[in-house]
DNA sequence: TTGGAATGTCAACGAGGCTGACATAAACTG
DNA sequence: CAGTTTATGTCAGCCTCGTTGACATTCCAA
């Protein structure tokens, strides 16, 4: 696998172009697999990945406001608004006026929305769980470490500062 | 990191929903980082990710035919054709009629196309190389193992049957 | 010689990004 | 209190890149 060169007492990772290219293609192909299962469910509702992402992060942080979600998703408010509007119309998401600051809208999943989120999670987690099981615990730790190093610093800070804590 | 439970002599990976959710978000955030640098270059040419993907795989396998590229990319020929047409018009890609089977078109990068591919590769590989270095060789092996397990079987077969061989 | 495969093209459509401009309400500030 | 800033929503229009359907061309192979 990874080629180790010992150079003056220091262990270095020797990365050929071919190895890096394989890493790049692995990301591309794996991401396809990663989204394939939820995509099939979303299709039944006329939703796309944008809806999935919104639902995911609203479920992760109930009551988060629109601006925060905008930052997480890295899209414009116009794009998010289109998605959010359909989710609210469909009774998947509820938008509550803030109590402390009444300009803010706090987003929550409705019962229907939570049910859809559950279906999407089950599908996506199933593939990841299988992949984790087959690859083994050490591989999972490495997977997570590399992905984290690949994030933009701002997003990584958000990612690390999670509510869950475990991992 | 990964929680290990010893159960009747068998070591199992105990994967909580929260751990899987973190894995899912890691994929999402990391993929953003993964595409960010090439995207900036592509913008200067008026190209998108579809152009990048075509250029990448033509560079990887010079002379591959349109149908093979279609399978790799997982899109329709109409979508690919639009991208390919602009790349050919711009003198980035050359489409040569097949010798054995003259219905086939074999795709090659021109000098300009190869130069652009080089720029894109350098940008994307730089981030991956840094991530690999910071995470360490064991993590890289794990990263690759998990991603491979996440691919759809057909694509994984293609991925594994690589020309490069190493890693 | 005919059927089917590989490729290309045209048209239309939809999702989901983008920018710019503008409206509204609420909060903050002097 | 007046003016500014912030948070959000909305309208219009644009682009990329996916989709389907229909159809032409070329050429291999039975």
């Amino acid at each position: 696998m990874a080629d180790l060169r010992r150079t003056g007492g220091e262990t270095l990772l020797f990365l050929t172009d071919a190895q890096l290219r394989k890493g790049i293609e692995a990301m591309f192909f794996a991401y396809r697999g990663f989204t394939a299962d939820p995509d099939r469910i979303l299709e039944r509702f006329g939703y796309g990945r944008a809806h999935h992402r919104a639902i995911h992060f609203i479920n992760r942080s109930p009551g988060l406001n629109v601006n925060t979600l905008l930052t997480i998703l890295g899209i414009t408010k116009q794009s998010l608004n289109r998605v959010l509007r359909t989710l609210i119309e469909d009774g998947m998401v509820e938008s509550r006026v803030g109590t402390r600051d009444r300009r803010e809208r706090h987003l929550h999943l409705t019962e229907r929305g939570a049910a859809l989120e559950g279906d999407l999670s089950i599908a996506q987690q199933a593939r990841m769980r299988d992949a984790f099981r087959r690859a083994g615990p050490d591989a999972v730790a490495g997977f997570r470490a590399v992905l984290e190093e690949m994030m933009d610093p701002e997003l990584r800070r958000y990612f690390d500062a999670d509510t869950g804590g475990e991992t």
Side-chain angles (χ1 to χ4, degrees), chain A residues 47 51 81-92:
Chain A
Y47 294 158
H51 299 81
N81 197 259
R82 180 174 37 202
V83 166
L84 231 36
R85 194 169 45 219
T86 70
L87 288 174
I88 291 168
E89 280 169 4
D90 295 352
M92 297 291 186

Side-chain angles (χ1 to χ4, degrees), chain A residues 73-146:
Chain A
L73 297 179
I75 57 173
T76 60
K77 62 172 182 174
Q78 293 90 332
S79 286
L80 176 57
N81 197 259
R82 180 174 37 202
V83 166
L84 231 36
R85 194 169 45 219
T86 70
L87 288 174
I88 291 168
E89 280 169 4
D90 295 352
M92 297 291 186
V93 167
E94 199 186 337
S95 168
R96 301 182 195 157
V97 172
T99 47
R100 210 195 50 203
D101 184 337
R102 296 190 358 201
R103 289 171 304 181
E104 292 181 349
R105 299 300 136 93
H106 297 277
L107 304 169
H108 299 262
L109 293 185
T110 63
E111 217 168 297
R112 286 194 70 208
L116 175 55
E117 196 283 331
D119 288 351
L120 292 166
S121 275
I122 283 166
Q124 195 159 41
Q125 287 185 5
R127 186 184 290 248
M128 187 155 289
R129 187 182 294 108
D130 290 349
F132 280 5
R133 287 228 171 97
R134 285 194 293 264
D138 291 346
V140 172
F143 165 78
R144 282 282 303 278
V146 171

